[in-house]
Amino acid sequence: MGEILANYDFVGAFWLTIQLSVLGTIGSLLLGTIVAVLRVAPVPVLRAMGTGYVNTIRNTPLTLLMVFSILGLTYILGLQISDNAKTNAFWWAVIMLSLYHATYVCEALRSGVNTIPPGQAEAARSIGLTFGQSLREVLLPQAFRGSIAPLGSAIIALIKNSTVAAMIGVTEAAGLMSEVVENETGTLGVFFIFAVGFLIMTFPLGVAVTWMSERLAVKR
Amino acid sequence: MASPLVQLSKVNKHFGDLHVLQDIDLEVNKGEVVILIGPSGSGKSTLCRTINRLETFESGSILIDGVPLPEEGRALAQLRADVGMVFQSFNLFAHKTILENVTLGPMKVRKLARADAEKEAMQLLERVGVAHQAKKVPAQLSGGQQQRVAIARSLAMHPKVMLFDEPTSALDPEMINEVLDVMVELAASGMTMIVVTHEMGFARKAADRVVFMDAGQIVETAVPNEFFANPKTDRAKDFLSKILTH
């Protein structure tokens, strides 16, 4: 066991997992917010675009998106982010995680929007705020506060789903695990180390999210 | 004589099959206080909400200070800034403090600097008697206090006219007067007001005109004392007999 720990770069693998998770979280929060705004927009075409995006991407397996980014986009369409295959795969993994989890972020935010009484939007409009200002100042802040718990679940799911990046050769934690299992042995100890590694990332996040969702809840 | 501040002509609106506003003609002059009264479902709240286009209408026209109500976009937002609105359920921004509720419009719409907006907001909160609550969030205030903040929030925009949609209907009885006192003071200060309410004491004290609505139509218009003492139409008599028996 000690030899395995010494011969493989566990810290580097988990660091890659953290990078994928952080960048994917930022990407999915940004894109998810945009899609959520589309889904509540007063213009039917924009709403249809938002709904179309969620229905298409959410119903596609993440594995398929990951593989498509390399086999489809890089090899067939020649969309290469970097000449370095590892870097290229890493950034495609970030993009696919963002695209995929944006749908969950969007739906979490939309459930948050639905907790806001209609009078809040009416009051915002009645003091002369434009649609964009109403969103920024009144609706989105309340939607975020009302959806911290489901947003937290979406981010925890994203952290664990970053393991799918191993499919396209990103040696994050799960990639390293299959390497270790293949080259050395599949002992319970090896699985345990990786399971604990993920637990260390996700468990505090879950606790923090629960605490925040209570503390930041909008009092009505 | 200048043209009326608010001018509705032949306004029509349907909710499905229900004709909620039928050929509504109404003119409100600057400084005038008009009460809209009528049984529930008569269209009085809908009419009030149509004036700043929280409700759309199908035909007819509404002019504010001679300008037709824009249909949407920035122009509509600009116009709404000039038309204050006070809701039955207060609708204070739940995630913002009392002070932020009052400064939001002046800062975002009128582009006032924070210091100026806060200074005026504190004066307005003083005027409605809740300045000491400025740092709290709405849920920490009583209904009467919240409604007074909502009035201050509207006033901060320096509106040309203020709409009140049943401002005291959601309040406990002991809080109604504190809100009505503010409204009476506002009326006395020359604010143009259109008020949906059943508070007859307020109507007698502050209103210039009572407009009685039933089934989507304006049935009767009169000065308050005349209307309450001597309603002309059977529908108004019937309505008043129902609300005055106790």
Side-chain angles (χ1 to χ4, degrees), chain A residues 120 122 125-126 133 137 142, chain B residues 49 77 80 92 95 108:
Chain A
Q120 295 284 307
E122 289 188 348
R125 282 147 71 195
S126 77
Q133 287 175 323
E137 299 293 333
Q142 293 191 42
Chain B
R49 291 163 55 84
R80 280 182 177 143
L92 293 181
H95 63 305
K108 295 294 163 187

Side-chain angles (χ1 to χ4, degrees), chain B residues 127-172:
Chain B
R127 179 172 167 191
V128 300
V130 283
H132 57 296
Q133 315 271 25
K135 298 283 174 234
K136 293 187 179 170
V137 293
Q140 294 171 292
L141 268 59
S142 73
Q145 290 171 330
Q146 288 191 51
Q147 194 60 299
R148 285 183 281 148
V149 173
I151 293 172
R153 175 175 69 180
S154 281
L155 285 175
M157 301 302 292
H158 299 284
K160 292 174 179 166
V161 51
M162 281 183 72
L163 311 172
F164 293 80
D165 186 6
E166 306 210 29
T168 58
S169 302
L171 294 175
D172 290 334

